[in-house]
Amino acid sequence: MKNMRKTGFLLTAIILVLSVMLAACGKNNDKNASSNPPSSVEPSVSPSSEPSSEPSESASTDMSALDEALAGKYKGTKVTMFGPFTDADQVKFEVAIKDFEDKTGIDIQYEGSKEFEATVSIRVDGGNAPDIADFPQPGLLNTFVKSGKVIDVSTFMDMDRLKGNYNKSWLDMATMKGPSGDIMAGIWARSSVKSLVWYPKKAFEEAGYTVPKTWDELMALTEQIAKDGDPAWAIGIESGAATGWPATDWVEDIMLRTTSPENYDKWVNGELPFTDDIVKNAVKKMSEIWMNKDYVYGGTKSIVTTSFGDSSTVLFDNPPKAWLHRQASFITSFFPQNLKSGEDYDWFYFPSIDPQYGNPVLVAGDIYAMFNDRPEVRAVMEFFTTGESLKTWIQSGGVIAPMNDAKPEWYTSDVERRMAELAKNATTLRFDGSDLMPGSVGAGTFWKGMTDYVSGTVDLDGAMKEIQAGWKQ
């Protein structure tokens, strides 16, 4: 009996000791898991990590998730990401994130799909959302924001740093209305610039033409080229089921030059109807070029049947059959491969129309949204706000960084370097309007209505009514 009691006392003592030890360990774990780690934590604790760009901050009590990741704290964790990058773009994206993965030990598991828009909706609505999703169309992201399924990144991001690293317009465009008010729905990554007019530089200069700085100068150049016997503009809007989208880009660019950014936002949100004189005025401005058969290669009616990708090639015939082509930065992939940027071709800024609206720039791009809130996911999102996250992609060509800390020397040509500067210094940046509108309008009646108008099937008033009807679908 004594032995049994002695054994019982020993067991009780052991249990008490273990309890004290577990409690102490628990306190240590809580401390380590907090957002304020002790100042003794040094970035060198992980052999695979590197100190953050500001070591003094790493040693402070305000260590960000990115700093902690670079200190090796999240080594061995996984972050899932879903987006539209496939094929060559997926390879470029994975190369761009490899250095971060090597330094932090975080495995970013990216999955790309050509059916992204449909698939991401199924996953999110089905409770199987990726940690991060890449939305090339912010309008789709907005539907998830409204339902309260997106993490507000401003709750953990250093907003002062973001304001210093992005043009304010980028941050404005990332702000969306959730169930409880406005949130920052994501961060901007890869982008493209749309307010560009391409021209055959060598032939253009040999012909004695000069780059226009204003809309009046642009129209004067257009008329001069016509008098010289050529149509100035190469325009095509045929794109299969998406026929008409290049026309929407023109309208969007001109809207930014003939009315306020606030009106542009109202228009995109459905508060300013297409039937309003403000919108019709933008289409009329576009029509000064599009509806003049002497200004367009092949005449106005050819616009609808000419592929958008093929339309620019006549600029590079010898001699050119047309001289100007307004299109986004990606169009160079459709140019003949033997051309040299800055020599055989170049671009100029699509000129302002009304000086009171400054020098706006129309852009497109990818906004990364966060669906699951874990420290390692926060770290990855913070990494994506740095120019470093796009460095190798920029160096491979075809990508413009929206971040101010992307270095000019990363760009492989002055043509792309100037695009980045254009976006950085724009008085106003606005996203492609049709991509922000509901699909029934932006990828529906807007495309079709503009096609019908250009083909002559309907007049301007009829086209605007047709487009506006999409808001009711």
Side-chain angles (χ1 to χ4, degrees):
M1 185 68 69
K2 286 181 180 180
N3 287 338
M4 290 179 66
R5 281 200 294 266
K6 185 176 181 181
T7 302
F9 291 145
L10 286 171
L11 286 172
T12 300
I14 291 169
I15 291 170
L16 286 171
V17 171
L18 287 173
S19 297
V20 171
M21 291 174 65
L22 286 171
C25 290
K27 288 180 180 178
N28 288 335
N29 287 339
D30 289 343
K31 190 173 184 180
N32 290 336
S34 73
S35 58
N36 299 314
S39 58
S40 60
V41 175
E42 294 290 338
S44 60
V45 295
S46 169
S48 64
S49 69
E50 290 189 6
S52 70
S53 58
E54 296 184 21
S56 61
E57 289 185 9
S58 298
S60 76
T61 57
D62 295 321
M63 219 171 171
S64 71
L66 178 56
D67 290 332
E68 291 178 335
L70 291 169
K73 185 169 183 179
Y74 308 123
K75 186 176 182 179
T77 59
K78 296 178 182 179
V79 173
T80 60
M81 186 170 178
F82 185 51
F85 300 146
T86 59
D87 304 325
D89 277 349
Q90 180 168 346
V91 172
K92 290 180 178 181
F93 172 77
E94 290 174 344
V95 170
I97 63 175
K98 186 179 185 303
D99 186 57
F100 172 81
E101 289 180 303
D102 291 343
K103 287 178 178 177
T104 63
I106 298 174
D107 180 12
I108 302 175
Q109 298 183 333
Y110 177 81
E111 178 187 357
S113 172
K114 294 179 180 178
E115 304 297 328
F116 167 78
E117 288 80 5
T119 307
V120 74
S121 296
I122 294 171
R123 292 190 182 183
V124 173
D125 293 338
N128 187 33
D131 295 326
I132 299 170
D134 167 15
F135 290 86
Q137 293 181 318
L140 177 58
L141 170 58
N142 196 33
T143 62
F144 298 121
V145 173
K146 288 178 179 177
S147 62
K149 295 177 180 176
V150 176
I151 304 297
D152 181 358
V153 299
S154 70
T155 58
F156 64 89
M157 291 274 185
D158 181 340
M159 294 307 297
D160 287 336
R161 195 191 73 79
L162 284 185
K163 290 174 183 176
N165 207 34
Y166 284 90
N167 182 307
K168 182 177 181 296
S169 291
W170 284 113
L171 303 182
D172 291 343
M173 291 188 294
T175 303
M176 301 180 186
K177 189 173 293 296
S180 302
D182 289 346
I183 71 167
M184 182 163 285
I187 56 94
W188 292 99
R190 182 185 72 159
S191 67
S192 63
V193 179
K194 293 202 163 196
S195 301
L196 309 175
V197 180
W198 299 89
Y199 65 101
K201 183 179 175 71
K202 186 182 295 184
F204 188 87
E205 292 174 349
E206 289 174 353
Y209 299 136
T210 57
V211 170
K213 302 296 184 183
T214 67
W215 182 263
D216 287 343
E217 290 180 3
L218 178 67
M219 293 306 298
L221 174 63
T222 299
E223 178 63 21
Q224 181 60 53
I225 293 173
K227 287 181 179 178
D228 291 343
D230 289 327
W233 293 89
I235 307 173
I237 64 172
E238 191 281 320
S239 186
T243 294
W245 71 259
T248 70
D249 279 6
W250 273 73
V251 176
E252 291 153 7
D253 240 338
I254 295 175
M255 278 286 287
L256 288 173
R257 287 156 176 74
T258 55
T259 192
S260 66
E262 292 76 18
N263 278 338
Y264 182 90
D265 295 339
K266 289 178 181 178
W267 174 57
V268 165
N269 294 329
E271 299 169 29
L272 180 69
F274 277 84
T275 52
D276 192 284
D277 286 342
I278 292 174
V279 184
K280 288 195 286 187
N281 178 57
V283 180
K284 287 177 182 177
K285 274 290 180 186
M286 182 190 87
S287 301
E288 291 178 12
I289 293 172
W290 286 49
M291 296 307 188
N292 188 322
K293 62 181 178 61
D294 295 329
Y295 289 173
V296 180
Y297 178 74
T300 298
K301 291 186 178 180
S302 72
I303 293 174
V304 174
T305 57
T306 302
S307 166
F308 80 92
D310 295 338
S311 62
S312 64
T313 58
V314 294
L315 271 65
F316 307 110
D317 287 348
N318 187 16
K321 291 189 175 72
W323 296 80
L324 307 173
H325 180 72
R326 185 226 156 272
Q327 190 50 273
S329 50
F330 72 82
I331 195 61
T332 55
S333 62
F334 290 88
F335 290 176
Q337 293 185 355
N338 60 331
L339 301 181
K340 294 182 179 180
S341 66
E343 295 182 23
D344 297 311
Y345 66 85
D346 206 340
W347 62 266
F348 59 81
Y349 171 67
F350 192 60
S352 62
I353 297 174
D354 189 332
Q356 69 174 307
Y357 302 122
N359 295 301
V361 174
L362 186 70
V363 295
D366 298 81
I367 183 168
Y368 295 171
M370 178 175 166
F371 287 94
N372 299 309
D373 192 359
R374 302 191 310 277
E376 61 270 25
V377 184
R378 291 186 175 194
V380 173
M381 287 292 284
E382 288 183 25
F383 166 65
F384 284 141
T385 68
T386 67
E388 192 72 27
S389 67
L390 287 174
K391 180 178 179 180
T392 60
W393 205 337
I394 291 170
Q395 291 171 331
S396 69
V399 167
I400 303 300
M403 309 87 166
N404 295 336
D405 65 343
K407 298 188 184 332
E409 57 266 27
W410 293 348
Y411 293 94
T412 56
S413 71
D414 187 57
V415 168
E416 290 189 337
R417 193 174 299 114
R418 285 168 36 234
M419 287 182 207
E421 286 297 314
L422 177 66
K424 180 179 179 180
N425 298 323
T427 53
T428 301
L429 282 172
R430 282 299 183 270
F431 203 87
D432 181 301
S434 61
D435 282 346
L436 294 173
M437 296 173 184
S440 61
V441 182
T445 56
F446 198 0
W447 290 353
K448 186 178 185 302
M450 291 307 300
T451 301
D452 291 344
Y453 171 63
V454 176
S455 67
T457 304
V458 295
D459 62 11
L460 177 58
D461 287 339
M464 296 302 99
K465 289 177 182 177
E466 178 185 334
I467 298 170
Q468 184 61 28
W471 286 98
K472 299 176 182 178
Q473 296 177 13

